[in-house]
Amino acid sequence: MKRILQNFQPISLDEMSGVKLLNRTDTKFVTSLNQLRKLLSMAEHDYRVQEINGQRIAHYYSTYFDTPTNDMYMRHQNGHQNRQKLRIRSYVDSHLNFLEVKTKNNHGRTKKKRIPIVQFDPLHPNYQLRFGTKNNPNAVAENDFLEHTLLYDLDSLTEKLENRFERVTLVNRNMTERLTIDTNLYLHNLETDEEKSLDQLVIIELKRDGLIPSPIIPLLRELRIMPIGFSKYTMGQALTNSNLKHNRLKPRIHQIEKLIGAQLL
């Protein structure tokens, strides 16, 4: 994949700031590495690739929090549209870490709010990080942020799942969309200590301004890469914690198994 990406014209972070997606819609697709290689070769004339310090593949780390009864996971598994997720997202290469709350409403729109979080090392994560004035009264900025954005009791939250993955970001020539491509997803459940490596899985997310025509859509259709919802937290929990209910997710898991030719459960 590195060789194919060298055929793309680069785009810098400063240039990326010009991609203003004011009426953004997000669509996720799931496919295999073999199909991704074909897609990239077909798309190289319509897209530019984000490059930071000469690197075109970025490394990400996330750790997700939930309640003792996994309420955030259960709301997604049970099909509720109004739901939230809490995570620390680390841009490993840039040494940037953020505390993020993602809120999805019943219209399918997702809003993300975040603040920087200091003294967090994704290469040596602290698995005892707590929020709430009872558990950590010194986390003033984090507690204040969460009290205004999160609907759950802060004192009850603990780490549930961590993941690592690599990301390629493409931008179309008209600067009306971003395409993120995630590969080499690794999951580690912090309750069960179960690990799973999804090295053949590719998660593509198209983020575009409204319904402006996208050059990637006909290419995806040609390769029969169809839209499939995929939450790294929800699917990660389902795949690494057999104690959790996941009946609603089974059809999607089986669909993904067929795409990548591997058994996940």
Side-chain angles (χ1 to χ4, degrees):
M1 193 167 72
K2 289 183 179 180
R3 179 185 58 80
I4 298 173
L5 289 175
Q6 290 304 313
N7 296 328
F8 284 75
Q9 181 182 347
I11 183 170
S12 68
L13 273 179
D14 287 340
E15 292 176 286
M16 286 280 291
S17 64
V19 184
K20 304 291 186 182
L21 305 181
L22 301 178
N23 185 29
R24 180 173 131 177
T25 60
D26 299 346
T27 310
K28 286 185 179 179
F29 304 81
V30 175
T31 188
S32 65
L33 278 176
N34 286 336
Q35 289 293 81
L36 173 62
R37 294 186 185 101
K38 295 177 185 177
L39 179 68
L40 289 174
S41 296
M42 296 164 66
E44 63 185 52
H45 299 297
D46 294 312
Y47 288 85
R48 300 167 67 186
V49 62
Q50 177 181 284
E51 183 177 285
I52 302 175
N53 297 325
Q55 300 297 316
R56 299 185 173 193
I57 300 177
H59 298 84
Y60 282 62
Y61 170 88
S62 303
T63 182
Y64 291 86
F65 296 77
D66 211 328
T67 67
T69 51
N70 297 290
D71 292 330
M72 298 186 209
Y73 166 83
M74 291 304 300
R75 284 194 66 81
H76 195 157
Q77 199 287 144
N78 291 335
H80 294 288
Q81 287 297 314
N82 290 301
R83 56 183 185 255
Q84 289 188 308
K85 290 175 193 165
L86 172 62
R87 73 185 180 196
I88 293 175
R89 166 59 59 84
S90 297
Y91 301 82
V92 179
D93 306 310
S94 304
H95 308 289
L96 297 173
N97 309 292
F98 294 92
L99 182 64
E100 300 183 343
V101 174
K102 295 183 73 175
T103 302
K104 188 170 186 177
N105 64 26
N106 55 10
H107 299 292
R109 292 283 181 172
T110 301
K111 290 186 178 181
K112 181 172 70 176
K113 294 185 178 181
R114 67 182 189 177
I115 61 169
I117 186 167
V118 296
Q119 298 180 336
F120 183 84
D121 181 2
L123 300 181
H124 304 92
N126 174 10
Y127 297 129
Q128 298 300 318
L129 186 60
R130 298 291 179 265
F131 302 108
T133 54
K134 182 175 72 175
N135 288 330
N136 191 354
N138 296 319
V140 178
E142 292 87 349
N143 288 338
D144 183 66
F145 167 70
L146 293 177
E147 285 173 357
H148 286 86
T149 55
L150 197 67
L151 302 176
Y152 295 89
D153 175 22
L154 304 189
D155 292 315
S156 70
L157 301 172
T158 58
E159 297 98 331
K160 297 289 183 173
L161 182 85
E162 65 178 346
N163 66 41
R164 299 182 185 274
F165 58 94
E166 297 175 350
R167 172 169 289 183
V168 172
T169 301
L170 303 181
V171 180
N172 68 331
R173 297 285 180 174
N174 293 330
M175 306 282 278
T176 57
E177 71 180 46
R178 289 196 305 271
L179 198 69
T180 59
I181 302 169
D182 297 341
T183 60
N184 289 325
L185 176 61
Y186 161 82
L187 305 166
H188 176 215
N189 194 295
L190 299 171
E191 281 192 307
T192 66
D193 202 33
E194 185 172 344
E195 301 176 338
K196 194 171 289 288
S197 179
L198 305 180
D199 54 1
Q200 293 301 308
L201 180 72
V202 177
I203 305 161
I204 301 170
E205 186 165 11
L206 172 60
K207 307 171 184 181
R208 56 175 165 162
D209 197 356
L211 295 177
I212 292 177
S214 166
I216 204 68
I217 294 295
L219 303 183
L220 290 166
R221 287 175 180 160
E222 183 176 341
L223 294 174
R224 297 184 179 179
I225 300 174
M226 299 293 112
I228 301 177
F230 190 100
S231 160
K232 292 186 183 70
Y233 175 59
T234 306
M235 296 295 284
Q237 280 273 59
L239 295 175
T240 59
N241 189 344
S242 59
N243 297 318
L244 291 175
K245 178 182 176 183
H246 57 272
N247 292 345
R248 192 181 182 92
L249 300 172
K250 279 185 178 179
R252 187 166 298 167
I253 292 172
H254 293 326
Q255 187 178 6
I256 293 169
E257 287 177 331
K258 291 181 181 179
L259 286 174
I260 65 175
Q263 187 172 346
L264 300 179
L265 288 176

